[in-house]
Amino acid sequence: MAAEDRPIVIVGCGPGSAKYLTLAALEAVNSADVLVGAQRLLDLFPGIAGMRIPVEKGIEKALNGIGRHLGDGNIVVLVTGDPGLFSLARLVVKRFGRRNCRVIPGISSVQAAFAAIGLDWGDAAIISAHKKDPEIGTDWYRYDKIAVLGGRESSLRWIGERLLPDQGNRRVFVCENLTLEDETVREIDPEDLSELVASPRTVVLIIERNVLE
Ligand SMILES: C[S@@+](CC[C@H](N)C(=O)[O-])C[C@H]1O[C@@H](n2cnc3c(N)ncnc32)[C@H](O)[C@@H]1O
């Protein structure tokens, strides 16, 4: 099956601002008969006529919704950032198979975070603390740059209490609401991290001091 004929298109919508949508994403969404995604992503596309399936807490419900509409034209599934980085895309591809899915990349929140502090990130480690405290081994020590997806209430506490104490001489940047009007990027004292309340859209960068000098 040619990529264009696959019934499910998974679209990376970037970190949240419409300015960071790609033309390919817009083209896919414009041809959607069924649009599936979190409400804030659906809101990025107010003018689309197709049916809308909001993804709420139960992802299973959304997957069943996609299943019910297979064969009803183009199904477009919206995900935050890039589909390849800790997104709903994995579950959609697992349920419906790669042969039925086309993936359109998007700008990740991790890209936006590194861009905000002007640092390249090809050698960075990326950890998700988005859903739960991750299990980590000791090999994180060898990375000079670590990005943590930290948009959960207790993620910052986990970083402050579990990850940072083992990380030596690091600087910590808390990047909230990237690309949005209320974007903030601030360096904080690692000791203050545990007590910090941050946005559900937060990436924390932990950078070896020498890298920034
Ligand atoms: C389920 S993960 C999705 C990651 C996404 N696929 C990506 O490439 O950015 C959700 C996490 O993305 C991060 N995130 C998404 N949008 C963000 C934004 N505008 N600013 C900062 N972090 C954001 C937060 O760390 C949040 O916990």
Side-chain angles (χ1 to χ4, degrees):
M1 192 187 277
E4 308 75 53
D5 299 331
R6 296 178 195 176
I8 301 172
V9 186
I10 304 171
V11 174
C13 295
S17 160
K19 280 198 261 179
Y20 286 74
L21 287 166
T22 64
L23 287 177
L26 289 169
E27 204 175 281
V29 171
N30 279 327
S31 67
D33 298 296
V34 180
L35 206 53
V36 183
Q39 192 58 51
R40 64 171 189 286
L41 297 178
L42 294 172
D43 291 345
L44 283 171
F45 308 101
I48 306 300
M51 166 186 258
R52 288 161 180 262
I53 303 181
V55 175
E56 283 144 7
K57 282 226 161 82
I59 284 169
E60 194 57 27
K61 216 168 134 191
L63 292 173
N64 292 340
I66 296 171
R68 271 197 305 280
H69 288 284
L70 275 181
D72 292 352
N74 292 329
I75 302 177
V76 172
V77 181
L78 308 173
V79 303
T80 308
D82 183 72
L85 193 74
F86 301 109
S87 88
L88 171 63
R90 183 188 232 164
L91 294 177
V92 174
V93 171
K94 191 169 172 208
R95 170 78 71 94
F96 301 102
R98 276 194 303 132
R99 294 166 70 88
N100 286 314
C101 298
R102 179 156 72 98
V103 178
I104 297 184
I107 297 172
S108 169
S109 57
V110 172
Q111 282 174 277
F114 277 105
I117 65 162
L119 212 57
D120 59 288
W121 57 284
D123 53 351
I126 302 173
I127 302 173
S128 177
H130 174 76
K131 280 211 179 112
K132 56 180 179 140
D133 292 350
E135 300 287 331
I136 52 158
T138 49
D139 59 334
W140 301 110
Y141 290 97
R142 58 192 174 86
Y143 290 91
D144 284 345
K145 304 168 188 167
I146 300 173
V148 185
L149 297 173
R152 180 174 51 103
E153 218 176 289
S154 50
S155 325
L156 299 190
R157 180 171 295 279
W158 175 80
I159 298 169
E161 291 177 0
R162 300 292 307 282
L163 190 61
L164 272 180
D166 294 332
Q167 293 296 332
N169 195 12
R170 305 269 173 164
R171 290 173 66 181
V172 176
F173 298 86
V174 176
C175 311
E176 295 173 80
N177 303 322
L178 290 158
T179 76
L180 299 164
E181 273 178 12
D182 51 351
E183 169 178 305
T184 59
V185 176
R186 55 192 161 138
E187 180 169 7
I188 66 148
D189 187 324
E191 292 197 350
D192 294 339
L193 198 61
S194 304
E195 300 308 322
L196 203 71
V197 178
S199 156
R201 301 179 191 206
T202 298
V203 173
V204 179
L205 299 180
I206 302 166
I207 312 290
E208 176 63 39
R209 196 161 288 276
N210 296 338
V211 170
L212 289 155
E213 276 159 8

